[in-house]
C-alpha cells in the first residue's frame, strides 16, 4: 500500500469513528440526548414534554387550578406549612463543571399553561425554580405564579419528568418569593447558605428564552436595598448572565449552596440626540 493510500485509509477510519461517536451522542432518553462525554439537551422536545405533561395532568384532575394557586399566593386557604428537612452544604469548592453536575438535578423548569384562545392551554411561559426539600417543596418567584388568564402550573426535572404544582405554601410579594408544593416522588434538594459579600463567585443555572439548563458565571457586584410597599427589601446584583425564563433560578456559591434567586434585569441606556437608544449595561438583580 502506498503512503497516500495508507493516509486515506487512516482518514476514513477517523471519519467513521467520529461519525459513530456523534450517532452515539444522539441516542436519547425522553427529551434528553446524552453522549458519554457530555449531554446535549433537545430544548424543543423538552419544552414539548413539559407542556404535554402539564396538559395530561390538568385533564386527569391532578393539577391544581391556577385560580386556587393565586388565592393561596395572596394568603387565602393555604395548607399548613410542612416541617422541612434541609440538606447541609458541602464545604468543598467545586469547579463550574462539578457545580453543574451536582446541582442540575435540583433545578426545575416551571411551566404555566395559558388559558387564552390562541394558546388553548397547550403552551405558556417557561420559568425556573429549584428544589428546597426532597418531599416536593420547591421555590420560584412570586411573579411566576402571579399571572392572569392561566390554567395550571407544572414543573419538570432535568430528566424530563413532569409533576403538578398542587399548592402555594408561602409567599412574599415584596421579596418576590413563592414556596410551592409539588406532587412528586423524592426530589434532589439544593442546600442553602447565608451571606454573599460583594466579590463572591456565583454560578446560575437557568432557562433563558427556553435555552434549558444554561450555566453562567460571575460575581456578586452589589448589595443594596430596594424600597417597595413601605419596606426596604435587600437585593443582590450579580454579573452572571440570565434572561427571560430565568426567573426563580438558583444563584450558587462555589460550594454549590444557594445564596440567592434570580429575579429580574434592568437595562441602562444612553439616549443620543438623534433618538437612538444605546445599551450601556444590564443590571441583574437577585433575591438574597
Amino acid at each position: 500500500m502506498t503512503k497516500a493510500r495508507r493516509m486515506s485509509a487512516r482518514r476514513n477510519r477517523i471519519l467513521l469513528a467520529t461519525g459513530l461517536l456523534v450517532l452515539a451522542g444522539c441516542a436519547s432518553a425522553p427529551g434528553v440526548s446524552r453522549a458519554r462525554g457530555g449531554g446535549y439537551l433537545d430544548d424543543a422536545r423538552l419544552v414539548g414534554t413539559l407542556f404535554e405533561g402539564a396538559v395530561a395532568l390538568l385533564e386527569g384532575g391532578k393539577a391544581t387550578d391556577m385560580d386556587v394557586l393565586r388565592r393561596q399566593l395572596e394568603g387565602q386557604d393555604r395548607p399548613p406549612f410542612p416541617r422541612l428537612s434541609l440538606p447541609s452544604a458541602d464545604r468543598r469548592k467545586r469547579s463550574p463543571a462539578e457545580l453543574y453536575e451536582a446541582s442540575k438535578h435540583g433545578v426545575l423548569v416551571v411551566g404555566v399553561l395559558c388559558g387564552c384562545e390562541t394558546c388553548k392551554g397547550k403552551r405558556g411561559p417557561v420559568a425556573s425554580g429549584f428544589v428546597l426539600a426532597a418531599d416536593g417543596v420547591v421555590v420560584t418567584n412570586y411573579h411566576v405564579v402571579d399571572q392572569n388568564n392561566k390554567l395550571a402550573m407544572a414543573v419538570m426535572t432535568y430528566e424530563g419528568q413532569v409533576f403538578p404544582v398542587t399548592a402555594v405554601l408561602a409567599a412574599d410579594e415584596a421579596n418576590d418569593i413563592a414556596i410551592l408544593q409539588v406532587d412528586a416522588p423524592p426530589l434532589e434538594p439544593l442546600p442553602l447558605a447565608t451571606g454573599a459579600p460583594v466579590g463572591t463567585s456565583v454560578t446560575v443555572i437557568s432557562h433563558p428564552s427556553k435555552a434549558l439548563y444554561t450555566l453562567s458565571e460571575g460575581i456578586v457586584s452589589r448589595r443594596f436595598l430596594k424600597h417597595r410597599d413601605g419596606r426596604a427589601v435587600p437585593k443582590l446584583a450579580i454579573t452572571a448572565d440570565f434572561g427571560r425564563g430565568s426567573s426563580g433560578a438558583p444563584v450558587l456559591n462555589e460550594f454549590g449552596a444557594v445564596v440567592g434567586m434570580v429575579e429580574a434585569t434592568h437595562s441602562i441606556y444612553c439616549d443620543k440626540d438623534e433618538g437612538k437608544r444605546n445599551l450601556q449595561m444590564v443590571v441583574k438583580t437577585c433575591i438574597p
Side-chain angles (χ1 to χ4, degrees), residues 11 39 45 56 106 118 209 278 283:
R11 183 173 64 250
R45 188 174 177 189
T118 303
S209 192
N278 295 324
V283 179

Side-chain angles (χ1 to χ4, degrees), residues 146-222:
D146 189 23
Q147 300 187 54
N148 293 317
N149 201 23
K150 300 296 184 288
L151 297 176
M153 294 184 71
V155 302
M156 183 175 65
T157 65
Y158 181 82
E159 291 75 22
Q161 297 172 300
V162 181
F163 304 109
V165 174
T166 57
V168 176
L169 300 173
D172 188 309
E173 185 175 8
N175 280 292
D176 202 9
I177 295 173
I179 302 178
L180 311 176
Q181 182 66 60
V182 172
D183 184 8
L187 301 173
E188 294 192 31
L190 298 178
L192 305 180
T194 57
V198 173
T200 299
S201 295
V202 291
T203 298
V204 173
I205 302 174
S206 68
H207 319 302
S209 192
K210 299 179 182 177
L212 304 187
Y213 291 93
T214 296
L215 180 145
S216 60
E217 294 181 89
I219 61 169
V220 175
S221 59
R222 188 168 178 253

Side-chain angles (χ1 to χ4, degrees), residues 208-277:
S209 192
K210 299 179 182 177
L212 304 187
Y213 291 93
T214 296
L215 180 145
S216 60
E217 294 181 89
I219 61 169
V220 175
S221 59
R222 188 168 178 253
R223 295 162 61 92
F224 63 101
L225 297 175
K226 183 175 181 179
H227 292 269
R228 182 173 181 179
D229 300 330
R231 296 171 59 183
V233 182
K235 302 288 182 182
L236 299 177
I238 67 173
T239 62
D241 273 338
F242 58 79
R244 181 183 61 188
S246 298
S247 294
V251 180
L252 305 163
N253 64 14
E254 293 175 306
F255 306 103
V258 179
V259 294
M261 181 168 63
V262 166
E263 183 179 30
T265 62
H266 172 64
S267 299
I268 300 174
Y269 293 92
C270 176
D271 293 324
K272 295 294 186 179
D273 294 336
E274 62 269 24
K276 294 181 180 179
R277 302 191 74 195

